[in-house]
Amino acid sequence: MELHDVWFVLIAVLWTGYFFLEGFDFGVGVLTKLLARDRKERRVLINTIGPVWDGNEVWLLSAGGATFAAFPEWYATLFSGFYLPLLIILGCLIVRGVAFEYRAKRSGEKWQTNWEHAIFWTSLIPALLWGVAFGNIVRGVKIDADMEYVGNFWDLLNPYALLGGLVTLSLFTFHGAVFAGLKTVGDIRERAGRLALKLGVVTAVLALGFLIWTQLDHGNGWSLLATVIAAVALVGAIVMIAVGREGWSFALSGVTITAAVAMLFLSLFPNVMPSSLNDAWSLTVTNASSTPYTLKIMTWCAGIATPLVLLYQGWTYWVFRKRIGTQHIAEAH
């Protein structure tokens, strides 16, 4: 296996980690309006992700940085062609981080309500747009012979990509509801389980349609295997939440996300960004990659830094592993 193939796999792993971890905290952000009944319950939900949400975004920075260094042509075409949706996502992530930090800085009703609205919308919009973006990457976009995107913003809003956006939004919200059930106690835990069950059914319908569509148009034998694993894991997650086994349900919803991302990248390979105008103009792991020397240096750096990041994040989740409830929220908040 060549180094550019290795880095294609590593970038897929980074996106998998991002969607697995950031997926549930996007979902919890959406649930601050769908599940929480009052400000104290919203505080409980925010506290479940408070110690980890910023660490989860490290995976996005790593995926973007790795793409820039390993596949500069892919990075340039992707970020120029998808400039507006990616800018919207970036703006949402900035406002979302500010909202988490500033919401409790003042006790005014209007102040806190506005930041809570911000948390909801800046969780929902990226969860939707990431699915739209990756749907377009797999489907193919208008790339010319100079490796430049020649389409427009409206070309990205096609039925396949929009369905992908609905799938990521529903899947992340389901993932977040299961996480909320896993991390809370009392009435909010029970309601999170009931809501997760409903969300799981909606997610299963949307995901099944998207997975079949992807497999029929872009799939191969390996992506078919990933599709089957994703479907089985999602059904298992729904069954586990129905019987009150949040831990198993969360693990299986994570397997669903992992297998779904694997299916998308397996459908892509050896392309990294197909051209819908001419197959010969597609960006591949070969024509979009950096030099072998650059990839070699990156491999050594990743081999040293990645275990340290995994250890630190694992330690963070272990420290903040206990459940919380409204009884743990001070009245002043």
Side-chain angles (χ1 to χ4, degrees):
M1 180 181 287
E2 299 289 337
L3 277 179
H4 51 66
D5 298 328
V6 171
W7 273 97
F8 179 84
V9 174
L10 291 176
I11 288 172
V13 170
L14 291 171
W15 280 110
T16 301
Y18 175 66
F19 287 142
F20 179 92
L21 297 172
E22 189 85 328
F24 71 73
D25 72 46
F26 279 148
V28 170
V30 174
L31 292 175
T32 56
K33 294 294 184 184
L34 301 184
L35 177 62
R37 291 177 173 172
D38 54 33
R39 178 146 293 139
K40 183 174 284 191
E41 289 192 350
R42 280 191 288 276
R43 186 63 185 172
V44 169
L45 291 176
I46 292 171
N47 281 3
T48 63
I49 60 173
V52 298
W53 68 266
D54 49 352
N56 294 343
E57 292 184 356
V58 169
W59 292 83
L60 173 61
L61 299 175
S62 300
T67 304
F68 172 76
F71 299 100
E73 294 290 353
W74 183 13
Y75 182 92
T77 304
L78 176 64
F79 278 76
S80 59
F82 291 23
Y83 182 82
L84 182 57
L86 292 177
L87 181 63
I88 293 172
I89 291 173
L90 177 61
C92 285
L93 295 180
I94 293 171
V95 173
R96 188 168 181 263
V98 173
F100 282 134
E101 299 297 333
Y102 275 54
R103 176 194 168 277
K105 296 299 182 183
R106 288 170 54 182
S107 59
E109 179 76 18
K110 185 176 181 180
W111 173 271
Q112 294 196 0
T113 299
N114 287 339
W115 286 120
E116 288 165 1
H117 288 319
I119 290 171
F120 171 77
W121 287 109
T122 56
S123 298
L124 185 149
I125 293 172
L128 176 71
L129 290 183
W130 279 127
V132 174
F134 272 86
N136 277 293
I137 291 173
V138 173
R139 175 179 177 268
V141 292
K142 295 179 179 179
I143 300 173
D144 66 11
D146 296 321
M147 298 185 179
E148 294 182 1
Y149 178 73
V150 293
N152 56 54
F153 173 74
W154 303 109
D155 292 331
L156 304 178
L157 303 181
N158 54 79
Y160 175 77
L162 291 174
L163 177 59
L166 292 176
V167 170
T168 52
L169 174 59
S170 61
L171 180 56
F172 291 169
T173 308
F174 169 70
H175 196 42
V178 174
F179 181 78
L182 181 65
K183 288 289 292 180
T184 57
V185 294
D187 181 57
I188 193 169
R189 176 190 177 188
E190 295 175 2
R191 284 188 283 113
R194 291 195 295 268
L195 180 58
L197 191 58
K198 296 176 183 177
L199 290 169
V201 174
V202 174
T203 302
V205 173
L206 294 172
L208 182 62
F210 182 74
L211 291 172
I212 292 174
W213 192 344
T214 303
Q215 184 60 34
L216 291 176
D217 284 357
H218 314 285
N220 51 54
W222 288 108
S223 65
L224 176 59
L225 176 61
T227 297
V228 172
I229 293 173
V232 172
L234 181 56
V235 172
I238 296 170
V239 172
M240 288 295 103
I241 198 64
V243 297
R245 301 296 297 272
E246 295 103 337
W248 280 104
S249 182
F250 182 73
L252 287 170
S253 66
V255 172
T256 301
I257 293 173
T258 301
V261 176
M263 181 270 295
L264 294 177
F265 276 87
L266 288 168
S267 299
L268 268 178
F269 189 81
N271 294 323
V272 294
M273 204 165 179
S275 172
S276 60
L277 299 178
N278 189 326
D279 288 341
W281 297 342
S282 296
L283 302 183
T284 68
V285 293
T286 303
N287 65 21
S289 70
S290 293
T291 64
Y293 183 69
T294 299
L295 296 177
K296 184 177 181 179
I297 293 175
M298 289 176 61
T299 304
W300 279 105
C301 292
I304 296 171
T306 303
L308 298 177
V309 173
L310 292 174
L311 285 172
Y312 172 75
Q313 281 208 297
W315 176 79
T316 303
Y317 278 93
W318 174 256
V319 170
F320 295 100
R321 67 189 181 277
K322 293 185 178 180
R323 296 176 181 266
I324 62 173
T326 53
Q327 66 271 27
H328 299 115
I329 304 300
E331 290 298 327
H333 289 292

